[in-house]
Amino acid sequence: MAMTRVISRLHGGLGNQLFQYAVGRAVALRTGAELLLDTRHYTAENPFKYDLEHFAIQARVASNDELPPAKNRPLSYAWWRKFGRSPRFVREQGLGYNERIASIDADCYLHGYFQSQRYFDDIAPTLWNDLSFREPISGENARMSERIQSGPSVSLHIRRGDYITNAKAQAAHGSTDLAYYQQALEEVRTRSGQDPVVYLFSNDPDWVRDNIKLDAELVPVAINDGATAHEDLRLMSLCDHNIIANSTFSWWGAWLNPSHNKIVAAPVQWFADPKLSNPDITPPGWLRL
């Protein structure tokens, strides 16, 4: 088995997978290693699925014989976690930036969320290429992209779904309130000197249509579902400015926005649970409201 490898464990939705890919790619480039992705977490019972095939990523999905033991082999798994040397188990410590990741060697297995731009700042131009979309935009999404780019625009993301229905997710994250979105929109207007059209993105578009009232031209974007979520990410990145939720999904929609003049607003309170904190989640230059 090749020793010059970095394995990134993928889990969670598309936003999480993008962070896990980005940290793995950064470590692989620094160490001259091949990046492999562990996608065993995505079983039929999982509400999320492997979603990175829509991007021009420089990695491949590992086969089972290239991976360390899984939890369904508890003794082997426990032995590897405690004593395994190849690949070395590297777990994220806490939710903020872990400095040691910048100097680790290859032949490692990365396990965590790694939600900070600081992990991949030094490879940002490479990552831009990696995260370009494989397929050209088409159909209703192409028409929406033309509309978005026809005048001043801001994406506004409301994350509901599991943040509302899943007790664990609700306790950890909570849902961002209307006051935040109103304040963020005012900041975008003031700083840009424009009155942008507000494009509303959500995994609960019916609720948004009925409940989000803002003094602006609102355009609900209800084209895509879980299977085409990457298309919402692409549309967000085409907006001039971005108002994100406490969600890694809209975080990436904003990060992938190539504009040097973009204004990005993010909630200062990322977690509802006071025991959870990631001081490094928001890139410098983004507004925290």
Side-chain angles (χ1 to χ4, degrees), residues 14-243:
L14 176 54
N16 283 323
Q17 292 173 47
L18 287 166
F19 274 113
Q20 290 148 9
Y21 170 75
V23 68
R25 180 76 160 122
V27 173
L29 278 171
R30 273 181 224 128
T31 57
E34 181 183 16
L35 177 58
L36 303 181
L37 305 176
D38 179 356
T39 61
R40 291 176 296 186
H41 190 66
Y42 299 103
T43 59
E45 296 77 55
N46 194 323
F48 298 113
K49 62 181 179 58
Y50 171 66
D51 245 343
L52 297 184
E53 73 272 14
H54 304 294
F55 302 88
I57 60 167
Q58 300 299 303
R60 64 182 175 84
V61 173
S63 62
N64 275 346
D65 61 357
E66 293 176 300
L67 292 169
K71 282 184 179 174
N72 61 359
R73 293 166 56 204
L75 287 175
S76 302
Y77 179 74
W79 191 95
W80 167 66
R81 286 279 299 255
K82 193 159 177 61
F83 304 111
R85 298 223 175 114
S86 180
R88 285 181 337 284
F89 183 77
V90 177
R91 185 170 198 145
E92 178 183 32
Q93 304 297 314
L95 294 175
Y97 174 68
N98 291 192
E99 274 184 29
R100 70 192 179 115
I101 301 298
S103 56
I104 59 172
D105 295 325
D107 196 30
C108 60
Y109 181 93
L110 299 169
H111 182 298
Y113 289 100
F114 302 106
Q115 292 174 357
S116 172
Q117 179 184 271
R118 293 177 66 186
Y119 288 112
F120 47 86
D121 251 349
D122 56 333
I123 65 151
T126 301
L127 212 50
W128 279 94
N129 290 330
D130 291 5
L131 300 184
S132 57
F133 292 86
R134 286 188 188 278
E135 296 293 323
I137 198 163
S138 62
E140 281 188 84
N141 284 300
R143 288 189 285 279
M144 184 59 76
S145 80
E146 285 172 17
R147 186 172 177 183
I148 285 170
Q149 294 175 91
S150 69
S153 58
V154 59
S155 71
L156 188 152
H157 181 230
I158 295 115
R159 170 77 181 263
R160 283 176 61 78
D162 59 335
Y163 278 21
I164 305 298
T165 59
N166 181 311
K168 195 174 166 189
Q170 187 177 24
H173 290 277
S175 201
T176 314
D177 63 10
L178 189 61
Y180 158 72
Y181 290 113
Q182 288 169 325
Q183 185 188 3
L185 181 56
E186 282 314 307
E187 286 287 346
V188 169
R189 280 181 174 141
T190 303
R191 289 164 185 256
S192 69
Q194 296 172 322
D195 192 14
V197 176
V198 178
Y199 292 87
L200 301 172
F201 293 84
S202 180
N203 51 358
D204 193 349
D206 293 338
W207 185 92
V208 166
R209 200 178 280 112
D210 296 339
N211 292 278
I212 295 297
K213 309 294 182 204
L214 294 165
D215 178 24
E217 184 184 341
L218 304 179
V219 178
V221 181
I223 302 169
N224 299 298
D225 57 16
T228 55
H230 60 284
E231 294 291 1
D232 271 358
L233 207 64
R234 172 159 34 192
L235 291 173
M236 285 183 195
S237 76
L238 295 174
C239 293
D240 296 322
H241 311 292
N242 309 94
I243 296 171

